[in-house]
Each structure stands twice: as structure tokens, then as C-alpha cells.
Amino acid sequence: MKPEMTLGLRHAKTADCGDEEDGALSRERWTYVKVNMDGVIVGRKICILDHGGYSSLALQLEDMFGSKSLSGLRLFQPESEFSLLYKDLKENWRTVGDVSWNEFVEHVKRLRISPRNQAFLPAQSPF
Amino acid sequence: MMTDGSDPLEITELRLGQPGADNGLPVKKLKKRDFADMSGSDDRISTNNFKSEVVGWPPVCSYRRKNVVGDGSKATEASKMYVKVSMDGVPFLRKIDLNSHCGYSDLITGFHKLFSCEKMSINEGDGSEYVPIYEDKDGDWMLVGDVPWQMFVESCKRLRIMKKSEAKGIEPSCLKRTSTTGSSKDE
């Protein structure tokens, strides 16, 4: 992974592709991150730049995965049964919401929705 | 070795007529490198006409094919991209060329033709019985339709047309209220 592709690239969704070997498609690939929910075979992909903040992200994830649970995801709400985690560029799993949105966008590689009481079992994570 | 002064290559020229006879049908003789008189008429056998009329000849290099496709994107593979397609409940697999489809709806139409099945859509809310998923290069199974088409084509390794009931059936019991019947699988 080229270092120059990690910083600021997320905001260059439609950047010029003249100098990059893979062009705009390679840059665009970075804006899409996988989302998996524990216990669900099929993952989804979201474009992180479609959102301006955490609440918008939570809404889309509710739309995608809310039906998997009777009470919905209700991410970031105190009564929620789920935690939203993300894998950063250093391959560490972290809790979504700990840092500013812009910082999150720059570092998120992958997302995971897991039951709250199982949130911190990275050794068992298949992702 | 020709000794009578005639064209030494005459013996290699193709012409109609009995073998060994020099009075065959009035086919214009072609010198090996004479292209000027070529008219493509059927009563002439010429190696060069033959080549141009045979399917798949001359071979088209990938550069030329790429430009004919007209996408222009450097990341586009103009060659065929066959992936396996399986459908739950169907005992045979099929193969589909992703590059011969222009988008997701076209792909779904392709599925309908392959399996003679109309009960499938990528729109989850329309009551379709099946949902298409794909295995990407990381080995993860993802729902078809989330990313731009070309990105999907490049990352798709195989496809599966899954029954929706299969997707529901693998939730761990901790995600469901205990007030339900307790069965963790929808049958």
C-alpha cells in the first residue's frame, strides 16, 4: 500500500487519473469499505464519502442491517445492543465514534457490527 | 527446383481443377504477394481471402479489442471474465462473462436466462425470493449491487444466487429475542 494513498485520498473521489496507473477506479475503491455484521454471511459495502457524519452512517447501516435484529441496530444509542467497530490502517479494531469524523474517514478500512457484549474479542473476529 | 524459367512459386499456388492438370477452371492465378487484384469473388481461392473470411482471423490483439469496446478506462479488462454462478436448489453451475454485461440490471437479466428464473432481484424490498451475492478476491461474500459496476467486475470471483431464507438462517440466537419460538433457523 503506497503511503501517499492513505492521506487525503478519500476526499479525491473524482480526482484526475492521469498520473495514477489505475486511475480514478483505484481511488474510488478506497472510498468503499466493507461492512460485516456478526452472524450474517453476506457483507455489504458502503461509500464512506457519501456521509458527512456518524449519524448519517448509522442511518445507512440501520437500513442495511436493521432487519437482522428485532429491535434494530440503534447504533450509538445507549440502549443499543450493538457496537460499531472499525479496522484502521494499522489493522487495529477500534470503536467508531472515538475520533472526529474526518479522522475516522481517513483511517477506516473496514467496519464491523457486533453484539455489545462481544465487542472486544478481536481474536475471534473472522475479519 | 524449377528449371523452365517459370515462377518458382507457381507450384504452390492454389487453383481449381484436377490435381496435376494445368487446365483447371479459369481462376485467376495469384502471385504470392499480389494484392492489387483481389476482389473477394467466391470463385477464387486465395489464401488471403480465406484468412479474412474465417471467423476469428486475423487475431485481434487486446489493444485493438479494448478500443472497440470503447470504454476507455485503463482499468477495464477487454478480455472475457468468466465466473461461476450457482443457484440454491439447482444442481448444476453455470458460467457467465461479466465483461459481456453492461451493468447490474443486465446481469440480473442474464441470471434469469441462465436459470430460467424470474424470482430474483437485487432490490431487497420487492418480495423476491432470491438475492444475488458474490465472493470477492478476499474470499468474503458480499451483496451484489453496492459498488459501481466496474469495481464489482474487478473484484468478483464467483456468484451465488442465494435464497433469502438461507441468509436469515445463520443469525446467532443472541441477536433474537427469547420471546420467539427459540428456533434459530427459519425453515
Short mmCIF file of all heavy atoms in Angstrom, two decimals, chain B residues 5-50:
data_model
loop_
_atom_site.label_atom_id
_atom_site.label_comp_id
_atom_site.label_asym_id
_atom_site.label_seq_id
_atom_site.Cartn_x
_atom_site.Cartn_y
_atom_site.Cartn_z
N GLY B 5 12.14 -21.77 -66.21
CA GLY B 5 12.08 -20.32 -66.23
C GLY B 5 10.77 -19.75 -65.70
O GLY B 5 10.62 -18.53 -65.62
N SER B 6 9.81 -20.59 -65.39
CA SER B 6 8.55 -20.06 -64.85
C SER B 6 8.74 -19.67 -63.39
O SER B 6 9.77 -19.93 -62.79
CB SER B 6 7.46 -21.12 -64.99
OG SER B 6 7.82 -22.25 -64.23
N ASP B 7 7.73 -19.06 -62.86
CA ASP B 7 7.75 -18.61 -61.46
C ASP B 7 7.97 -19.82 -60.55
O ASP B 7 7.17 -20.77 -60.55
CB ASP B 7 6.40 -17.95 -61.13
CG ASP B 7 6.37 -17.42 -59.71
OD1 ASP B 7 7.37 -17.60 -58.97
OD2 ASP B 7 5.33 -16.84 -59.33
N PRO B 8 9.02 -19.84 -59.79
CA PRO B 8 9.31 -21.00 -58.95
C PRO B 8 8.23 -21.27 -57.91
O PRO B 8 8.14 -22.37 -57.39
CB PRO B 8 10.66 -20.66 -58.29
CG PRO B 8 10.79 -19.19 -58.43
CD PRO B 8 10.04 -18.78 -59.64
N LEU B 9 7.44 -20.27 -57.65
CA LEU B 9 6.41 -20.47 -56.63
C LEU B 9 5.09 -20.92 -57.25
O LEU B 9 4.10 -21.10 -56.54
CB LEU B 9 6.19 -19.17 -55.85
CG LEU B 9 7.42 -18.70 -55.04
CD1 LEU B 9 7.17 -17.33 -54.45
CD2 LEU B 9 7.75 -19.70 -53.94
N GLU B 10 5.07 -21.05 -58.57
CA GLU B 10 3.80 -21.39 -59.23
C GLU B 10 3.21 -22.69 -58.70
O GLU B 10 2.01 -22.84 -58.57
CB GLU B 10 4.06 -21.51 -60.73
CG GLU B 10 2.77 -21.71 -61.55
CD GLU B 10 3.07 -21.79 -63.03
OE1 GLU B 10 4.20 -22.16 -63.38
OE2 GLU B 10 2.18 -21.47 -63.83
N ILE B 11 4.09 -23.57 -58.35
CA ILE B 11 3.63 -24.89 -57.92
C ILE B 11 2.88 -24.81 -56.59
O ILE B 11 2.10 -25.68 -56.23
CB ILE B 11 4.85 -25.85 -57.83
CG1 ILE B 11 4.36 -27.30 -57.78
CG2 ILE B 11 5.70 -25.52 -56.62
CD1 ILE B 11 5.46 -28.31 -57.95
N THR B 12 3.11 -23.74 -55.87
CA THR B 12 2.45 -23.61 -54.56
C THR B 12 1.15 -22.85 -54.63
O THR B 12 0.45 -22.74 -53.64
CB THR B 12 3.39 -22.90 -53.57
OG1 THR B 12 3.57 -21.55 -54.00
CG2 THR B 12 4.73 -23.60 -53.47
N GLU B 13 0.81 -22.31 -55.77
CA GLU B 13 -0.40 -21.50 -55.88
C GLU B 13 -1.65 -22.39 -55.85
O GLU B 13 -1.65 -23.49 -56.38
CB GLU B 13 -0.39 -20.69 -57.16
CG GLU B 13 0.65 -19.57 -57.14
CD GLU B 13 0.72 -18.84 -58.45
OE1 GLU B 13 -0.08 -19.16 -59.36
OE2 GLU B 13 1.57 -17.95 -58.58
N LEU B 14 -2.69 -21.86 -55.25
CA LEU B 14 -3.93 -22.61 -55.17
C LEU B 14 -4.77 -22.32 -56.41
O LEU B 14 -4.89 -21.18 -56.83
CB LEU B 14 -4.71 -22.21 -53.92
CG LEU B 14 -4.06 -22.55 -52.59
CD1 LEU B 14 -4.93 -22.04 -51.46
CD2 LEU B 14 -3.84 -24.04 -52.46
N ARG B 15 -5.36 -23.34 -56.96
CA ARG B 15 -6.24 -23.12 -58.10
C ARG B 15 -7.25 -24.25 -58.17
O ARG B 15 -7.04 -25.33 -57.61
CB ARG B 15 -5.45 -23.05 -59.39
CG ARG B 15 -4.66 -24.33 -59.69
CD ARG B 15 -3.81 -24.18 -60.92
NE ARG B 15 -2.61 -23.38 -60.66
CZ ARG B 15 -1.71 -23.11 -61.59
NH1 ARG B 15 -1.86 -23.53 -62.82
NH2 ARG B 15 -0.64 -22.39 -61.29
N LEU B 16 -8.36 -23.98 -58.85
CA LEU B 16 -9.37 -25.02 -59.04
C LEU B 16 -8.96 -25.93 -60.16
O LEU B 16 -8.37 -25.50 -61.15
CB LEU B 16 -10.72 -24.37 -59.37
CG LEU B 16 -11.36 -23.56 -58.26
CD1 LEU B 16 -12.61 -22.87 -58.75
CD2 LEU B 16 -11.66 -24.42 -57.07
N GLY B 17 -9.36 -27.19 -60.05
CA GLY B 17 -9.05 -28.11 -61.15
C GLY B 17 -8.52 -29.41 -60.62
O GLY B 17 -8.28 -29.59 -59.43
N GLN B 18 -8.34 -30.36 -61.53
CA GLN B 18 -7.82 -31.66 -61.16
C GLN B 18 -6.38 -31.50 -60.71
O GLN B 18 -5.64 -30.71 -61.27
CB GLN B 18 -7.86 -32.60 -62.36
CG GLN B 18 -9.27 -32.88 -62.87
CD GLN B 18 -10.02 -33.80 -61.92
OE1 GLN B 18 -9.40 -34.56 -61.18
NE2 GLN B 18 -11.35 -33.74 -61.96
N PRO B 19 -6.01 -32.29 -59.75
CA PRO B 19 -4.61 -32.21 -59.31
C PRO B 19 -3.69 -32.59 -60.45
O PRO B 19 -3.93 -33.56 -61.17
CB PRO B 19 -4.52 -33.24 -58.19
CG PRO B 19 -5.90 -33.57 -57.81
CD PRO B 19 -6.77 -33.26 -58.98
N GLY B 20 -2.67 -31.84 -60.62
CA GLY B 20 -1.67 -32.14 -61.64
C GLY B 20 -2.02 -31.58 -62.99
O GLY B 20 -1.17 -31.48 -63.87
N ALA B 21 -3.29 -31.17 -63.22
CA ALA B 21 -3.66 -30.63 -64.54
C ALA B 21 -3.45 -29.15 -64.55
O ALA B 21 -3.73 -28.46 -63.58
CB ALA B 21 -5.13 -30.96 -64.81
N ASP B 22 -3.00 -28.66 -65.67
CA ASP B 22 -2.73 -27.24 -65.75
C ASP B 22 -3.86 -26.48 -66.41
O ASP B 22 -3.81 -25.28 -66.62
CB ASP B 22 -1.44 -27.02 -66.56
CG ASP B 22 -0.76 -25.73 -66.14
OD1 ASP B 22 -1.03 -25.28 -65.02
OD2 ASP B 22 -0.01 -25.17 -66.93
N ASN B 23 -4.94 -27.19 -66.79
CA ASN B 23 -6.04 -26.56 -67.49
C ASN B 23 -7.30 -26.54 -66.62
O ASN B 23 -8.36 -26.94 -67.04
CB ASN B 23 -6.33 -27.30 -68.79
CG ASN B 23 -6.61 -28.78 -68.49
OD1 ASN B 23 -6.39 -29.25 -67.36
ND2 ASN B 23 -7.10 -29.50 -69.46
N GLY B 24 -7.13 -26.12 -65.43
CA GLY B 24 -8.25 -26.05 -64.49
C GLY B 24 -9.21 -24.93 -64.88
O GLY B 24 -9.09 -24.30 -65.92
N LEU B 25 -10.18 -24.74 -64.04
CA LEU B 25 -11.16 -23.68 -64.26
C LEU B 25 -10.44 -22.34 -64.33
O LEU B 25 -9.40 -22.15 -63.72
CB LEU B 25 -12.19 -23.68 -63.13
CG LEU B 25 -13.06 -24.94 -63.08
CD1 LEU B 25 -13.93 -24.91 -61.85
CD2 LEU B 25 -13.90 -25.08 -64.34
N PRO B 26 -11.04 -21.42 -65.06
CA PRO B 26 -10.37 -20.13 -65.25
C PRO B 26 -10.33 -19.30 -63.97
O PRO B 26 -11.10 -18.38 -63.78
CB PRO B 26 -11.19 -19.44 -66.31
CG PRO B 26 -12.54 -20.07 -66.23
CD PRO B 26 -12.31 -21.47 -65.79
N VAL B 27 -9.44 -19.72 -63.12
CA VAL B 27 -9.24 -18.97 -61.89
C VAL B 27 -8.03 -18.12 -62.08
O VAL B 27 -7.01 -18.56 -62.54
CB VAL B 27 -9.02 -19.93 -60.70
CG1 VAL B 27 -8.68 -19.16 -59.46
CG2 VAL B 27 -10.25 -20.79 -60.49
N LYS B 28 -8.19 -16.91 -61.71
CA LYS B 28 -7.06 -16.01 -61.87
C LYS B 28 -5.96 -16.46 -60.93
O LYS B 28 -6.15 -16.64 -59.75
CB LYS B 28 -7.50 -14.60 -61.54
CG LYS B 28 -6.43 -13.58 -61.79
CD LYS B 28 -6.99 -12.19 -61.69
CE LYS B 28 -5.89 -11.18 -61.98
NZ LYS B 28 -6.38 -9.81 -61.87
N LYS B 29 -4.79 -16.63 -61.53
CA LYS B 29 -3.69 -17.04 -60.69
C LYS B 29 -3.27 -15.86 -59.84
O LYS B 29 -3.23 -14.73 -60.29
CB LYS B 29 -2.50 -17.47 -61.56
CG LYS B 29 -2.71 -18.78 -62.28
CD LYS B 29 -1.38 -19.18 -62.91
CE LYS B 29 -1.65 -20.01 -64.14
NZ LYS B 29 -0.40 -20.26 -64.88
N LEU B 30 -2.94 -16.19 -58.66
CA LEU B 30 -2.47 -15.14 -57.78
C LEU B 30 -1.00 -15.32 -57.53
O LEU B 30 -0.55 -16.38 -57.18
CB LEU B 30 -3.19 -15.19 -56.44
CG LEU B 30 -4.65 -14.79 -56.46
CD1 LEU B 30 -5.23 -15.00 -55.07
CD2 LEU B 30 -4.80 -13.34 -56.84
N LYS B 31 -0.27 -14.29 -57.78
CA LYS B 31 1.10 -14.33 -57.33
C LYS B 31 1.07 -14.16 -55.83
O LYS B 31 0.19 -13.54 -55.28
CB LYS B 31 1.89 -13.20 -57.98
CG LYS B 31 2.09 -13.44 -59.45
CD LYS B 31 2.96 -12.37 -60.05
CE LYS B 31 3.06 -12.61 -61.55
NZ LYS B 31 3.72 -11.50 -62.23
N LYS B 32 2.06 -14.70 -55.25
CA LYS B 32 2.01 -14.80 -53.79
C LYS B 32 1.82 -13.45 -53.11
O LYS B 32 1.15 -13.32 -52.11
CB LYS B 32 3.28 -15.46 -53.29
CG LYS B 32 3.14 -15.97 -51.87
CD LYS B 32 4.05 -17.13 -51.64
CE LYS B 32 3.76 -17.68 -50.24
NZ LYS B 32 4.51 -18.89 -49.98
N ARG B 33 2.40 -12.42 -53.62
CA ARG B 33 2.31 -11.14 -52.93
C ARG B 33 1.54 -10.10 -53.73
O ARG B 33 1.69 -8.93 -53.51
CB ARG B 33 3.70 -10.60 -52.62
CG ARG B 33 4.36 -11.39 -51.52
CD ARG B 33 5.70 -10.80 -51.17
NE ARG B 33 6.28 -11.52 -50.03
CZ ARG B 33 6.87 -12.68 -50.10
NH1 ARG B 33 6.97 -13.29 -51.27
NH2 ARG B 33 7.36 -13.27 -49.01
N ASP B 34 0.67 -10.54 -54.62
CA ASP B 34 -0.07 -9.59 -55.42
C ASP B 34 -1.43 -9.35 -54.79
O ASP B 34 -2.35 -10.14 -54.96
CB ASP B 34 -0.22 -10.12 -56.85
CG ASP B 34 -0.90 -9.12 -57.75
OD1 ASP B 34 -1.25 -8.03 -57.26
OD2 ASP B 34 -1.08 -9.42 -58.93
N PHE B 35 -1.59 -8.25 -54.15
CA PHE B 35 -2.86 -7.94 -53.50
C PHE B 35 -3.72 -7.02 -54.34
O PHE B 35 -4.89 -6.85 -54.06
CB PHE B 35 -2.61 -7.23 -52.16
CG PHE B 35 -1.92 -8.12 -51.17
CD1 PHE B 35 -0.56 -8.03 -50.97
CD2 PHE B 35 -2.66 -9.03 -50.43
CE1 PHE B 35 0.06 -8.84 -50.04
CE2 PHE B 35 -2.04 -9.84 -49.51
CZ PHE B 35 -0.68 -9.74 -49.31
N ALA B 36 -3.14 -6.44 -55.37
CA ALA B 36 -3.83 -5.38 -56.08
C ALA B 36 -5.10 -5.84 -56.75
O ALA B 36 -6.06 -5.11 -56.88
CB ALA B 36 -2.87 -4.75 -57.10
N ASP B 37 -5.13 -7.09 -57.21
CA ASP B 37 -6.27 -7.56 -57.97
C ASP B 37 -7.31 -8.29 -57.14
O ASP B 37 -8.22 -8.88 -57.67
CB ASP B 37 -5.79 -8.49 -59.10
CG ASP B 37 -4.88 -7.74 -60.04
OD1 ASP B 37 -5.11 -6.53 -60.22
OD2 ASP B 37 -3.93 -8.35 -60.55
N MET B 38 -7.15 -8.27 -55.89
CA MET B 38 -8.06 -9.03 -55.03
C MET B 38 -9.43 -8.39 -55.06
O MET B 38 -9.59 -7.21 -54.80
CB MET B 38 -7.55 -9.01 -53.59
CG MET B 38 -6.21 -9.65 -53.46
SD MET B 38 -6.35 -11.32 -52.95
CE MET B 38 -6.25 -11.16 -51.21
N SER B 39 -10.45 -9.21 -55.36
CA SER B 39 -11.79 -8.64 -55.38
C SER B 39 -12.74 -9.41 -54.48
O SER B 39 -13.89 -9.06 -54.35
CB SER B 39 -12.32 -8.68 -56.82
OG SER B 39 -12.49 -10.02 -57.21
N GLY B 40 -12.28 -10.46 -53.89
CA GLY B 40 -13.12 -11.19 -52.95
C GLY B 40 -14.19 -12.03 -53.60
O GLY B 40 -15.13 -12.45 -52.95
N SER B 41 -14.13 -12.28 -54.88
CA SER B 41 -15.16 -13.10 -55.53
C SER B 41 -15.01 -14.54 -55.11
O SER B 41 -13.93 -15.03 -54.83
CB SER B 41 -15.04 -12.99 -57.05
OG SER B 41 -13.76 -13.43 -57.46
N ASP B 42 -16.18 -15.19 -55.03
CA ASP B 42 -16.19 -16.51 -54.42
C ASP B 42 -15.53 -17.56 -55.28
O ASP B 42 -15.19 -18.63 -54.79
CB ASP B 42 -17.63 -16.93 -54.14
CG ASP B 42 -18.21 -16.07 -53.03
OD1 ASP B 42 -17.41 -15.52 -52.25
OD2 ASP B 42 -19.43 -15.95 -52.95
N ASP B 43 -15.40 -17.32 -56.57
CA ASP B 43 -14.87 -18.38 -57.40
C ASP B 43 -13.35 -18.38 -57.39
O ASP B 43 -12.70 -19.05 -58.16
CB ASP B 43 -15.38 -18.26 -58.84
CG ASP B 43 -14.97 -16.92 -59.44
OD1 ASP B 43 -14.51 -16.04 -58.67
OD2 ASP B 43 -15.10 -16.75 -60.64
N ARG B 44 -12.81 -17.65 -56.53
CA ARG B 44 -11.36 -17.59 -56.44
C ARG B 44 -10.95 -18.10 -55.09
O ARG B 44 -11.51 -17.75 -54.07
CB ARG B 44 -10.92 -16.14 -56.58
CG ARG B 44 -9.73 -16.01 -57.49
CD ARG B 44 -9.53 -14.63 -57.90
NE ARG B 44 -9.54 -13.69 -56.78
CZ ARG B 44 -9.22 -12.44 -56.93
NH1 ARG B 44 -8.90 -11.98 -58.10
NH2 ARG B 44 -9.27 -11.62 -55.90
N ILE B 45 -9.98 -18.92 -55.13
CA ILE B 45 -9.44 -19.37 -53.86
C ILE B 45 -8.14 -18.65 -53.66
O ILE B 45 -7.22 -18.75 -54.46
CB ILE B 45 -9.19 -20.88 -53.85
CG1 ILE B 45 -10.52 -21.61 -54.02
CG2 ILE B 45 -8.52 -21.31 -52.58
CD1 ILE B 45 -10.39 -23.10 -54.14
N SER B 46 -8.07 -17.89 -52.63
CA SER B 46 -6.81 -17.25 -52.32
C SER B 46 -6.58 -17.39 -50.82
O SER B 46 -7.52 -17.33 -50.04
CB SER B 46 -6.84 -15.78 -52.69
OG SER B 46 -7.35 -15.02 -51.63
N THR B 47 -5.39 -17.61 -50.49
CA THR B 47 -5.10 -17.79 -49.07
C THR B 47 -5.44 -16.56 -48.28
O THR B 47 -5.89 -16.61 -47.15
CB THR B 47 -3.61 -18.13 -48.85
OG1 THR B 47 -2.85 -17.12 -49.49
CG2 THR B 47 -3.28 -19.47 -49.44
N ASN B 48 -5.28 -15.39 -48.88
CA ASN B 48 -5.52 -14.17 -48.13
C ASN B 48 -6.99 -13.93 -47.91
O ASN B 48 -7.41 -13.51 -46.85
CB ASN B 48 -4.89 -12.96 -48.85
CG ASN B 48 -3.40 -13.09 -48.88
OD1 ASN B 48 -2.77 -12.98 -47.84
ND2 ASN B 48 -2.83 -13.36 -50.03
N ASN B 49 -7.83 -14.19 -48.95
CA ASN B 49 -9.27 -14.06 -48.77
C ASN B 49 -9.76 -15.05 -47.74
O ASN B 49 -10.62 -14.76 -46.93
CB ASN B 49 -9.99 -14.31 -50.10
CG ASN B 49 -10.29 -13.01 -50.79
OD1 ASN B 49 -10.00 -11.94 -50.26
ND2 ASN B 49 -10.88 -13.10 -51.96
N PHE B 50 -9.21 -16.25 -47.83
CA PHE B 50 -9.61 -17.29 -46.91
C PHE B 50 -9.38 -16.83 -45.47
O PHE B 50 -10.20 -16.99 -44.60
CB PHE B 50 -8.80 -18.56 -47.21
CG PHE B 50 -9.10 -19.68 -46.27
CD1 PHE B 50 -10.27 -20.41 -46.38
CD2 PHE B 50 -8.21 -20.00 -45.26
CE1 PHE B 50 -10.55 -21.45 -45.50
CE2 PHE B 50 -8.48 -21.04 -44.39
CZ PHE B 50 -9.65 -21.76 -44.51
#
